[in-house]
Amino acid sequence: MEIRMDFLDWLDHDTSMKILRCLEDPADLVRVSSVSRSWRHFVIAYGLCKQLCLRMFPHFLRVECVTEPCCDIEKASEVGCSKFVEWETLKREHKVYAFLVQGCMSFPFGKCILDAISASSTDNYPDESIRNTLQQGDPIEIRASYWSSKGQRNAAVPETLVYKLVADICVITEINIQPFQAYFQPGSPIYSARSVRFHMGHPILPMVDPLGEPFDDSADDKFIWTYSSPEFPMAQESSLQNFRLPEPVVCIGGILQIELLGRVQRQEIDGLFYICVAQVQVKGRPLSPAFGVETLGPSGKFILKAESSNPPSLPDEDSSYHGGHLHGRVDWEQIVNVLRGEGDFEYDWNSEDEVDDELAF
């Protein structure tokens, strides 16, 4: 007779945890939680999906709590059982973090800039506005499209460009910048920066009109930067230059600042140094509408809101860059089938769990 043994029943807690923490694919944890009731209980009770998400994306350490469209908090308060409340919280975190880490890795990849917010200076507004960097310019147009800083005698004076991203949570992997070549000036000079650095974060206060007319402002007093990249050298070339971040960065708050460091080109007509940019692209994975955030003041903590189970849709030319997307609404107990690519499933945030809600603590 074949002897079957459940190692969770035979091994101590610490050994079981070490084994399951070796799983580095969120799909594997979802598969583990679907093996049996006891395995599912172990994965949920010890927050393995949450632990995996925080190891892969430590930016989510600032999450204060998670919510779903229909939370059971009211139901829990009526029951008045602390174990029930704790178990419902653990189940909610299991679902949300499992979908979150999956989304960070497999939601559609594409352009992530929604609009321009501000530039530290603009030479001829609005003709040389930061908004010009959002569209690819055409060199045969009568009027070139680009942003230009004001001129400076000191080549070390930096400039900053601030953009609003398409979602409050985006996983950013790369930024592309094209310096502007003034083909209408003698020698066709290229007004690049010497180097570039990127900052991501969130507004200190709610933005009244984030899509209003861009303004000249360094903006450092309006935003909290939670991430700063290394400094990247920029070539004095009129090409779309790729700056890939050392690792994917979760931008929580939807604000990106490009810091342009050092000037290399002096304008012949006035002898001043300028920086000019023709185009900016930000590439990554927006997590909206599936997820939203509510920032809790200047502390940097925030509430993570699971709004729906629908990944965002992007144009085909964007989403085809890195893998495919997940379509449809995903039933949580059947998410393993979606991860295996075996079909689409209907997911209802209000559906009852198929497994009994035992309170085995």
Side-chain angles (χ1 to χ4, degrees):
M1 177 182 295
E2 182 182 358
I3 299 176
R4 298 183 180 181
M5 182 176 62
D6 186 342
F7 76 83
L8 291 182
D9 294 333
W10 287 82
L11 299 179
D12 61 86
H13 166 268
D14 291 341
T15 304
S16 298
M17 288 290 287
K18 286 181 180 178
I19 293 173
L20 293 179
R21 280 175 179 161
C22 291
L23 299 176
E24 297 180 350
D25 188 332
D28 291 335
L29 271 181
V30 176
R31 293 186 182 102
V32 166
S33 65
S34 64
V35 168
S36 67
R37 181 177 299 181
S38 63
W39 283 40
R40 181 177 184 275
H41 185 278
F42 190 93
V43 170
I44 294 175
Y46 295 106
L48 294 180
C49 284
K50 179 178 180 180
Q51 291 183 36
L52 176 62
C53 182
L54 297 182
R55 287 199 306 272
M56 297 178 68
F57 301 98
H59 304 85
F60 289 116
L61 286 167
R62 295 189 290 116
V63 171
E64 184 73 16
C65 63
V66 299
T67 65
E68 292 178 281
C70 229
C71 217
D72 286 328
I73 298 299
E74 294 182 4
K75 178 181 175 183
S77 62
E78 292 175 5
V79 174
C81 174
S82 61
K83 287 187 176 181
F84 177 85
V85 175
E86 184 177 357
W87 182 243
E88 289 300 311
T89 300
L90 290 170
K91 285 200 306 178
R92 182 166 59 250
E93 290 186 344
H94 168 72
K95 290 195 294 184
V96 171
Y97 280 104
F99 189 40
L100 178 63
V101 69
Q102 176 208 0
C104 289
M105 298 172 64
S106 61
F107 274 12
F109 182 93
K111 297 177 183 178
C112 290
I113 290 183
L114 178 63
D115 203 359
I117 294 178
S118 67
S120 51
S121 73
T122 302
D123 190 33
N124 295 304
Y125 186 84
D127 291 340
E128 296 173 346
S129 165
I130 182 178
R131 279 242 171 94
N132 294 337
T133 65
L134 302 179
Q135 301 294 330
Q136 184 173 359
D138 187 345
I140 65 173
E141 289 180 351
I142 297 178
R143 173 88 186 165
S145 177
Y146 62 96
W147 162 82
S148 174
S149 71
K150 290 186 180 296
Q152 297 286 345
R153 297 190 182 279
N154 182 0
V157 176
E159 297 285 348
T160 57
L161 304 175
V162 180
Y163 296 90
K164 172 66 178 171
L165 302 183
V166 295
D168 287 338
I169 309 181
C170 294
V171 182
I172 304 302
T173 57
E174 61 189 79
I175 294 97
N176 301 323
I177 303 175
Q178 181 179 352
F180 176 67
Q181 182 172 19
Y183 53 86
F184 48 82
Q185 293 182 357
S188 299
I190 301 173
Y191 292 93
S192 67
R194 190 175 303 279
S195 60
V196 63
R197 185 163 51 210
F198 308 106
H199 307 277
M200 301 183 207
H202 59 87
I204 295 177
L205 299 173
M207 300 182 69
V208 178
D209 185 11
L211 303 184
E213 195 64 25
F215 53 90
D216 281 3
D217 194 337
S218 65
D220 284 335
D221 60 339
K222 295 179 174 62
F223 304 101
I224 293 177
W225 306 119
T226 56
Y227 169 82
S228 295
S229 77
E231 188 173 328
F232 299 91
M234 177 179 282
Q236 193 175 8
E237 299 174 357
S238 179
S239 60
L240 196 61
Q241 300 179 36
N242 177 263
F243 303 97
R244 183 174 291 276
L245 300 176
E247 57 184 8
V249 175
V250 179
C251 178
I252 299 169
I255 303 296
L256 168 75
Q257 182 189 74
I258 297 176
E259 187 178 12
L260 300 161
L261 303 167
R263 301 161 188 249
V264 298
Q265 183 63 51
R266 192 192 300 267
Q267 184 174 248
E268 183 177 314
I269 192 172
D270 59 9
L272 299 179
F273 289 94
Y274 291 81
I275 300 177
C276 302
V277 174
Q279 184 183 178
V280 171
Q281 295 178 354
V282 178
K283 295 292 189 72
R285 303 183 191 278
L287 300 188
S288 174
F291 295 97
V293 297
E294 179 182 337
T295 305
L296 301 175
S299 67
K301 296 284 187 179
F302 65 96
I303 297 172
L304 177 65
K305 299 180 177 181
E307 307 284 8
S308 77
S309 60
N310 289 330
S313 58
L314 291 173
D316 290 340
E317 62 269 20
D318 290 335
S319 59
S320 61
Y321 185 87
H322 278 182
H325 10 327
L326 300 175
H327 299 282
R329 297 170 63 81
V330 184
D331 181 85
W332 210 262
E333 295 299 325
Q334 297 170 321
I335 193 173
V336 60
N337 295 326
V338 177
L339 293 171
R340 288 173 175 167
E342 294 176 359
D344 301 331
F345 296 87
E346 183 74 17
Y347 178 73
D348 181 3
W349 285 103
N350 301 316
S351 63
E352 293 296 328
D353 232 314
E354 293 181 3
V355 179
D356 293 338
D357 297 330
E358 332 178 357
L359 303 176
F361 289 97

